[in-house]
Amino acid sequence: MSKYAVIGNPIDHSLSPMIHAQFAKQVGLSITYEKILSPINEFSSTVERFIKSGGLGFNITVPFKINAYELTDDCTTTAKAAGAVNTIKVENNTLIGENTDGIGLVNDLCNNLHQSLKDKEILIIGAGGATQGILKPLLDCGPAKILLANRTKDKSLKLAHKFAKYGKVCGFGLDQIKAKPVDIVINATSASIAGKMPEIASGVAEGAICYDLMYGTRTPFMKWAYKNSALKVCDGLGMLVEQAASSFAFWHGKTPQTQPVINLLREKGD
Ligand code: ATR
């Protein structure tokens, strides 16, 4: 049986083993997919042990996506732009890195939620690792512009400058965002983990698609979006399943169906 895994810290909560088991069942593949908890300072030795034990590929989650990027021998263009990887394929003893987070978000928005991103105005809140992973795939869809707002303004300015070669993206401080509605608002901050919503002019949400990269039935961002007349409010469960599907395709060359797995996870979460 071919061997796969997800490595992170913490890792207990990960839904990836269940998602990959469903995909494997769909396409008739016989694989194992385990959760591996890596000590914070021992990521590379954890990876080495997994590969020695026969591992053929693995996902990487918080906080190791940048360490994983540094460990790769080669990377896709998307992973290079992100400077972080969430998927590694082991091929003839070399590690090939990919980042499927952004394409996972794009596929969820476009295919599952039926939103076109072309010529749209998109506001992203946050300029950390999550934003770095999604910027290029979003810009590749041809939005009119991406407004990048961050609590620490300097970080959004730097990130906007770095990604300007892929499309129109401008950096701001959170307090500079005007109360003027945009088409799509994406929460890419880690504030929801602490049960918080970044302070931002509520008018931007009016009539917008509001998407939290975190998943959960009512994150603080989702509550804020409902309260401020968003057109549609979504959590990141679809993105989670879509990024897993792209990782699965990267390893196995087969694209699984995502909707039945999203439905299954929603039923389990009820
Ligand atoms: P991740 O890899 O999840 O993106 P990160 O790189 O630590 O994590 O980035 C966290 C992001 O959430 C940052 O943009 C951070 O803003 P700062 O750069 O100013 O730190 C943002 N963030 C976290 N808590 C926040 C809060 N309470 N209000 C606003 N932004 C917050």
Side-chain angles (χ1 to χ4, degrees):
M1 266 218 259
S2 25
K3 199 169 163 171
Y4 295 84
V6 56
I7 304 178
N9 186 336
I11 199 65
D12 246 7
H13 66 285
S14 175
L15 295 174
S16 295
M18 199 260 213
I19 297 171
H20 282 271
Q22 289 295 321
F23 290 162
K25 200 162 123 190
Q26 267 183 34
V27 304
L29 268 184
S30 190
I31 62 161
T32 63
Y33 187 108
E34 60 181 309
K35 293 181 207 175
I36 300 179
L37 175 72
S38 169
I40 296 292
N41 296 319
E42 293 172 27
F43 177 69
S44 64
S45 52
T46 305
V47 167
E48 205 175 310
R49 254 195 317 279
F50 177 65
I51 294 171
K52 274 202 179 128
S53 74
L56 294 179
F58 51 99
N59 285 123
I60 305 94
T61 186
V62 176
F64 299 123
K65 293 184 188 182
I66 294 170
N67 307 64
Y69 174 70
E70 286 161 359
L71 214 61
T72 55
D73 298 293
D74 197 9
C75 271
T76 63
T77 324
T78 312
K80 276 183 196 148
V85 308
N86 74 336
T87 309
I88 285 184
K89 176 157 64 176
V90 184
E91 227 171 46
N92 305 322
N93 261 327
T94 60
L95 304 186
I96 325 276
E98 167 64 302
N99 191 320
T100 64
D101 287 332
I103 195 67
L105 171 64
V106 166
N107 284 346
D108 193 36
L109 280 167
C110 298
N111 304 340
N112 301 330
L113 303 166
H114 311 292
Q115 301 300 321
S116 159
L117 304 182
K118 179 113 186 75
D119 299 327
K120 295 289 164 65
E121 197 171 354
I122 303 175
L123 167 66
I124 301 179
I125 314 171
T131 301
Q132 213 155 311
I134 62 173
L135 267 175
K136 182 177 182 293
L138 285 174
L139 287 165
D140 287 347
C141 295
K145 69 174 151 187
I146 293 186
L147 310 173
L148 196 55
N150 196 45
R151 182 174 59 183
T152 313
K153 182 179 162 188
D154 198 37
K155 272 165 79 177
S156 52
L157 290 178
K158 277 194 184 135
L159 216 52
H161 181 71
K162 184 177 164 201
F163 283 82
K165 61 181 170 222
Y166 301 114
K168 192 161 183 209
V169 50
C170 316
F172 302 90
L174 285 184
D175 52 355
Q176 291 176 296
I177 293 301
K178 300 198 182 84
K180 187 173 130 311
V182 295
D183 297 303
I184 301 173
V185 182
I186 296 172
N187 179 32
T189 69
S190 52
S192 295
I193 299 170
K196 292 195 176 137
M197 169 60 203
E199 277 175 39
I200 190 154
S202 51
V204 286
E206 203 182 312
I209 312 293
C210 288
Y211 193 107
D212 199 339
L213 298 192
M214 275 208 28
Y215 59 87
T217 38
R218 285 237 166 177
T219 65
F221 170 78
M222 291 167 78
K223 285 185 196 157
W224 170 86
Y226 282 120
K227 202 171 117 199
N228 291 293
S229 314
L231 176 66
K232 203 173 171 83
V233 181
C234 317
D235 76 342
L237 188 74
M239 171 180 172
L240 176 78
V241 176
E242 291 294 342
Q243 64 77 30
S246 295
S247 297
F248 190 90
F250 185 64
W251 292 326
H252 309 298
K254 291 177 188 192
T255 304
Q257 283 183 2
T258 49
Q259 201 59 59
V261 181
I262 295 173
N263 295 345
L264 186 74
L265 289 173
R266 291 263 180 239
E267 277 164 30
K268 278 184 182 281
D270 284 343

